[in-house]
């Protein structure tokens, strides 16, 4: 009997299914919890280079730029467009508007999880899922959990896909899968549990599969037509072969993966025991949730980078698996899970509020030097992995490639031998040289600071600096070069 309770989803019907004040009581609780856990995101102007990249992209797009043409990235366009829209309404000098949107994304995720758990297992499970998610959602390095970047915005889309499939809304489920993919490619992993639910519960399999497929493909096709179909395909799918290989960086990358997995395990210290206990009691679990967790784990592994923010995709299915287990365990175990998660949440909250961020301080000092040496209309080149320097300085980049990563394959923190000009994304260097010839930057900032993509290991950049630039000073190890003809 206990096993059956854990395996079989239960649909709540009758008076309990109506809104009898349940959401009026739960929504304020979830709102307060999510808002409190996201407080650290508002105490710094910027949390990660990804936020800086998106901010620079948004400014370029607002000035008439085009994705995959005049500014490029390996990501789909929804989040850059989101930044662009927020900047258009509130101005581009602060990330506070997108941080508010990130709070709403996390709140939406918590509410959808609560709704999904309530439909399957009742009111208490709905409250459990929503509260547990709010508590564990910041359980990573703060620069991964507090930044308003791709993975935060992918979460409500992926949960919405399962939520719709659970209610047999197949067209909407497909659309939610498409939105997940258009936020970040790995969002498509949620298609696995959606198809499982379709196979198990479709009324008319062919018709429902068609609805799901149309729902998934139509938004992607529309976005491709709004941008550049060939560019979208290249930058999001076919042009990332070198990026997805970790040859030469195996120990470095695996070490990062294990470290981030350990951090996540601490955050989920309240979830792991009930899941293990539930498996021992029932010897199984909800198949669609395990498929969701497994496909999300595959998404984390894809590309072999193991950045902390990738692990955010695991949290929704993990919370639901814990909720499913807790409903057949004692109330004492439920309270223990919540208390443990709350204590871990406080730990991560303190980390976010108190931990120093030396790279942000470096970028701020470097941006101040760039702003001092240039005028607002000038174009500059920052040769490094911190595109936020452009945004903080208020200066436009001289090239569509906002970091050295696309031009050297250093993207993803590679530290092995497969870093250099010959490992760049195909076709980037001719375009890069043409852009710098047509519009030479007034100032070049070498922010490599001894890393494998330093100019002395990149012949084309070394020749460019030798031919037209003179060293003009340093800032925290970054070397500034001014154009000789500008000096004259």
């Amino acid at each position: 009997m206990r096993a059956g309770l854990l395996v079989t989803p239960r649909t709540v019907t009758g008076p309990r299914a109506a809104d009898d004040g349940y959401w009026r009581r739960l929504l304020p609780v979830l709102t307060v919890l999510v808002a409190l856990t996201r407080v650290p995101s508002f105490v710094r102007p910027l949390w990660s280079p990804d936020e800086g990249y998106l901010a620079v992209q948004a400014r370029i797009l607002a000035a008439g730029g085009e994705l995959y043409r005049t500014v490029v990235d390996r990501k789909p366009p929804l989040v850059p467009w989101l930044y662009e829209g927020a900047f258009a309404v509130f101005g581009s000098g602060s990330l506070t508007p997108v941080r508010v949107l990130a709070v709403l994304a996390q709140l939406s995720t918590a509410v959808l999880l609560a709704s999904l758990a309530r439909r399957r297992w009742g009111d208490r499970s709905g409250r459990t899922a929503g509260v547990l998610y709010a508590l564990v959602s910041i359980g990573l390095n703060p620069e991964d959990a507090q930044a308003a970047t791709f993975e935060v915005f992918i979460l409500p889309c992926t949960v919405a896909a399962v939520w719709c499939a659970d209610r047999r809304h197949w067209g909407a489920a497909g659309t939610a899968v498409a939105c997940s993919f258009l936020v970040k490619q790995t969002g498509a992993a949620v298609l696995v549990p959606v198809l499982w639910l379709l196979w198990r519960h479709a009324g008319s399999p062919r018709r429902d599969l068609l609805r799901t497929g149309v729902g998934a493909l139509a938004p992607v096709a529309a976005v491709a037509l709004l941008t550049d179909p060939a560019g979208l395909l290249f930058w999001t799918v076919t042009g990332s072969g070198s990026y997805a290989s970790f040859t030469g960086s195996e120990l470095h990358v695996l070490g990062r993966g294990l470290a981030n997995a350990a951090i996540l395990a601490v955050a989920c210290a309240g979830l792991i025991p009930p899941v293990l206990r539930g498996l021992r009691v029932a010897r199984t679990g909800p198949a669609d949730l395990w498929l969701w967790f497994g496909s999300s784990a595959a998404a984390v592994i894809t590309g072999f980078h193991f950045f902390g923010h990738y692990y955010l995709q695991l949290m929704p299915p993990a919370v639901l698996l814990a909720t499913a287990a807790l409903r057949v365990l004692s109330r004492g175990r439920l309270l223990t899970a919540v208390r443990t998660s709350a204590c871990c949440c406080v730990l991560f909250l303190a980390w976010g509020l108190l931990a120093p961020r030396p790279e942000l301080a470096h970028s701020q000092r470097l941006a101040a030097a760039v702003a001092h040496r240039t005028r607002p209309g000038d174009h500059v080149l920052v040769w490094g992995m911190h595109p936020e320097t452009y945004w903080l300085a208020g200066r436009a980049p001289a090239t569509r490639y906002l970091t050295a990563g696309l031009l050297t394959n250093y993207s993803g923190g590679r530290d092995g031998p497969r870093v250099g000009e010959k490992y760049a994304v195909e076709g980037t260097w001719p375009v890069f040289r043409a852009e710098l010839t047509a519009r030479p930057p007034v100032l070049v900032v070498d922010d490599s600071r001894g890393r494998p993509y330093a100019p002395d290991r990149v012949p084309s950049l070394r020749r460019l600096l030798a031919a037209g630039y003179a060293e003009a000073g340093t800032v925290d190890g970054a070397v500034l070069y001014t154009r000789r003809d500008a000096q004259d």
Side-chain angles (χ1 to χ4, degrees), residues 56-72 77 80-81 84 226-228 379 396-397 399-400 402 435 439:
V56 177
Q57 276 186 308
R59 279 184 172 170
I60 295 172
L61 294 175
E66 297 178 76
L67 272 174
Y68 313 119
R69 288 177 177 164
T70 59
V71 61
V72 298
W81 285 346
E84 182 188 5
L226 285 172
T227 55
D228 170 19
H379 288 77
T399 175
R400 69 189 67 187
L402 303 186
E435 288 177 330
R439 187 174 55 198

Side-chain angles (χ1 to χ4, degrees), residues 19-34 107 109-119 122-134:
D19 187 356
D20 54 2
Y22 179 84
W23 290 109
R24 288 198 302 273
R25 292 189 295 272
L26 183 58
L27 277 174
V29 173
L30 295 181
T31 301
V32 170
L33 282 176
V34 171
L107 178 60
T109 304
V111 170
L112 287 167
L113 287 171
S115 176
L116 188 55
R118 186 194 186 205
R119 171 180 165 84
D123 288 356
R124 191 181 81 168
S125 292
R127 291 190 292 270
T128 300
V131 170
L132 285 178
Y133 180 77

Side-chain angles (χ1 to χ4, degrees), residues 317-332:
V319 164
L320 287 179
L321 285 168
T323 301
L326 286 166
R327 62 183 291 269
V328 299
L329 300 177
S330 68
R331 182 176 177 81

